[in-house]
Amino acid sequence: MRDSYHEELEALSERLVEMTRQARHGVARATTALLDSDLNAAQEVISGDEEINRLDDEIEASAFDLMARQQPVARDLRIIITSLHMAGDLERMGDHAVHIAKIARRRHPDSAIPAELRSIVLEMGHQAELLVIKAGEVITEGDAAKARELDTDDDQMDRLRRRLLTRILDPSWQHGVEATMDVTLAGRFYERFGDHAVHVADNLVYMVTGEKPEESENEV
Amino acid sequence: MRDSYHEELEALSERLVEMTRQARHGVARATTALLDSDLNAAQEVISGDEEINRLDDEIEASAFDLMARQQPVARDLRIIITSLHMAGDLERMGDHAVHIAKIARRRHPDSAIPAELRSIVLEMGHQAELLVIKAGEVITEGDAAKARELDTDDDQMDRLRRRLLTRILDPSWQHGVEATMDVTLAGRFYERFGDHAVHVADNLVYMVTGEKPEESENEV
């Protein structure tokens, strides 16, 4: 009984890592959709979100089942509760990839991102991938020290977003209202994707140490 | 023991209702901050968010404690898990009120919202209040039928957001990049506030009936 119990706890963690893979794939393809005005990529992200939602549901069902049958206490209970939180954050990361893909779909066959902002958006996409890959690693390794690094890694995403906003607020910006809206929202979605990766890492720290990191409040 | 246990379950529910009151107050004051360029109101929302976060932490600690000590099963376990989800959504509603207040603070002493959009934004603020009040009522009353109405109530918020976007995409829109960004983000924050109220109601339905409503996916 206890063996199957610990296998199920392990399976929770594996499902979370699988969610990080799916979220990474989603945001990478969403960035492609956005920069290459690639409608197939956009559709793939939008329909692929079901898989992330399914994993979230599985984690919830499994957590519920574990709590009802095994009545875990202390550290095991903390693992289960933090897994639920992490699954929630990863599910929202998938949603943000979908939101980015929908911007691309809405503007297709036009591109939502003006040429001079492509390199910044590409970097935001890469930073998003880096954050979610690292979130997956800290879950696999249970490494609280590495998890604490994500807050600093995310600062780079915030800097990129400020660069984006500086560019659209510059008097030389001449791209009209639609582009302003698209860039404003895309910037926000990448930033939120990063915030949720930091939350996943914060929960890992709590899972491993029992101590809650200060919530990192991000500027809009 | 069982009596104090049920009192603690009841206290979870009371804290959630208190969170709806705080979230309502937050979004109402944020709307005032935005429309009247009222810096005091903005600061009040920003500093008041601590109270919502504190309630969220209390609910989490209490849920953890209940699960560890009482090892609830079936319906009681469902009540505790859904309370955690509802607290998470209400905490984010508080964050969205803060995001709106920060737009007002950033533009102060100017107004972030051009005169011709004031009535739409005012309506969005009222709709946000209506949604969170109703979310509080369904928690108090445990009324799944009324909870199911929130999805439709939220359609009005989505319509208001579309009206907002239609206005800023109209060729007559002449308010420049900052106003376009502010209105785009404010519209999104009100819409997300509404989405989270619907999630709270969805969780109440699950709490009461054991059946999960279909997740309502909202367009960006």
Side-chain angles (χ1 to χ4, degrees):
Chain A
M1 192 63 170
R2 295 300 287 181
D3 272 357
S4 109
Y5 168 55
H6 281 100
E7 275 168 28
E8 283 178 56
L9 276 184
E10 193 61 36
L12 273 187
S13 165
E14 281 161 20
R15 283 203 185 91
L16 288 170
V17 173
E18 178 58 26
M19 285 185 87
T20 67
R21 283 193 207 103
Q22 300 278 344
R24 181 211 175 168
H25 184 70
V27 80
R29 294 292 284 161
T31 304
T32 297
L34 199 56
L35 292 180
D36 299 347
S37 191
D38 181 336
L39 191 59
N40 286 336
Q43 295 289 21
E44 192 190 311
V45 177
I46 294 161
S47 57
D49 192 46
E50 269 176 37
E51 173 63 13
I52 298 191
N53 294 341
R54 193 183 58 73
L55 284 162
D56 181 30
D57 288 345
E58 278 181 17
I59 288 170
E60 172 123 347
S62 167
F64 196 93
D65 190 55
L66 277 166
M67 286 191 283
R69 285 192 300 113
Q70 305 286 353
Q71 315 203 316
V73 293
R75 184 162 181 280
D76 286 353
L77 182 55
R78 202 167 68 220
I79 289 175
I80 295 170
I81 298 290
T82 48
S83 295
L84 285 174
H85 286 306
M86 290 195 267
D89 278 298
L90 287 161
E91 191 269 328
R92 282 162 208 263
M93 289 163 79
D95 288 346
H96 286 298
V98 167
H99 296 330
I100 293 167
K102 282 184 176 174
I103 294 175
R105 186 173 70 176
R106 203 160 53 218
R107 293 304 168 229
H108 183 268
D110 294 332
S111 172
I113 305 297
E116 71 262 35
L117 297 183
R118 288 174 57 88
S119 65
I120 302 179
V121 172
L122 186 65
E123 268 194 78
M124 294 182 90
H126 287 164
Q127 194 63 20
E129 283 189 74
L130 184 149
L131 286 161
V132 71
I133 288 170
K134 197 156 171 178
E137 288 169 357
V138 301
I139 295 170
T140 303
E141 298 159 13
D143 185 339
K146 190 169 174 179
R148 288 196 183 89
E149 295 171 11
L150 262 86
D151 199 24
T152 310
D153 297 332
D154 188 45
D155 291 344
Q156 173 63 8
M157 183 69 98
D158 297 337
R159 276 191 292 273
L160 287 165
R161 177 153 187 249
R162 277 196 295 276
R163 273 175 57 196
L164 204 62
L165 297 188
T166 303
R167 295 289 284 275
I168 67 181
L169 287 169
D170 192 88
S172 67
W173 174 257
Q174 300 286 354
H175 288 285
V177 173
E178 280 198 356
T180 303
M181 287 174 54
D182 288 347
V183 172
T184 300
L185 287 174
R188 169 124 190 120
F189 297 145
Y190 281 109
E191 187 217 12
R192 294 301 295 155
F193 187 97
D195 290 345
H196 285 294
V198 175
H199 286 170
V200 170
D202 284 350
N203 270 293
L204 189 281
V205 172
Y206 177 58
M207 181 190 276
V208 173
T209 67
E211 283 163 32
K212 290 215 170 192
E214 278 297 296
E215 178 150 351
S216 30
E217 177 63 48
N218 281 275
E219 288 292 312
V220 173
Chain B
M1 192 64 170
R2 295 301 286 180
D3 272 355
S4 107
Y5 169 55
H6 282 99
E7 275 168 28
E8 284 179 55
L9 276 184
E10 192 60 38
L12 273 187
S13 165
E14 280 161 20
R15 283 207 185 91
L16 287 170
V17 173
E18 179 57 25
M19 284 185 87
T20 67
R21 284 192 207 104
Q22 299 279 344
R24 182 212 174 168
H25 184 70
V27 79
R29 294 293 285 160
T31 305
T32 298
L34 199 57
L35 293 179
D36 299 347
S37 192
D38 181 336
L39 191 59
N40 286 337
Q43 296 289 18
E44 193 190 311
V45 177
I46 294 161
S47 57
D49 192 46
E50 268 175 38
E51 173 64 13
I52 298 191
N53 294 341
R54 194 183 57 73
L55 285 162
D56 181 30
D57 288 344
E58 277 180 18
I59 288 170
E60 172 121 347
S62 168
F64 195 94
D65 191 55
L66 277 165
M67 285 190 284
R69 284 191 301 113
Q70 305 287 354
Q71 314 202 316
V73 293
R75 184 161 180 282
D76 285 354
L77 182 55
R78 203 166 67 219
I79 289 174
I80 295 170
I81 298 288
T82 47
S83 295
L84 285 174
H85 284 309
M86 290 195 268
D89 278 298
L90 287 161
E91 191 268 329
R92 283 162 207 263
M93 289 163 80
D95 288 345
H96 286 298
V98 167
H99 296 328
I100 292 167
K102 283 185 177 174
I103 295 175
R105 186 173 70 174
R106 204 159 51 217
R107 295 301 168 229
H108 183 268
D110 294 332
S111 172
I113 305 296
E116 71 261 36
L117 297 182
R118 288 173 58 87
S119 66
I120 301 180
V121 171
L122 187 66
E123 268 194 78
M124 292 182 91
H126 287 164
Q127 194 64 19
E129 283 189 72
L130 184 149
L131 284 162
V132 70
I133 289 169
K134 196 156 172 178
E137 288 169 357
V138 301
I139 295 170
T140 303
E141 298 159 13
D143 185 339
K146 189 169 174 179
R148 288 197 183 87
E149 294 171 12
L150 261 87
D151 197 25
T152 310
D153 297 332
D154 187 46
D155 291 344
Q156 173 62 8
M157 184 68 97
D158 298 337
R159 276 191 292 274
L160 287 165
R161 176 152 188 249
R162 276 195 294 275
R163 274 175 56 197
L164 204 61
L165 296 190
T166 304
R167 294 288 285 276
I168 65 179
L169 287 169
D170 192 88
S172 66
W173 175 257
Q174 299 286 354
H175 288 285
V177 173
E178 280 198 357
T180 303
M181 287 174 53
D182 288 347
V183 172
T184 300
L185 287 174
R188 167 121 192 123
F189 298 145
Y190 281 109
E191 186 216 14
R192 293 301 295 157
F193 188 98
D195 289 346
H196 285 294
V198 175
H199 286 171
V200 170
D202 285 350
N203 270 293
L204 190 282
V205 172
Y206 177 58
M207 181 191 276
V208 174
T209 67
E211 285 163 32
K212 290 217 167 190
E214 277 297 296
E215 177 145 351
S216 29
E217 177 62 46
N218 282 275
E219 288 292 312
V220 173

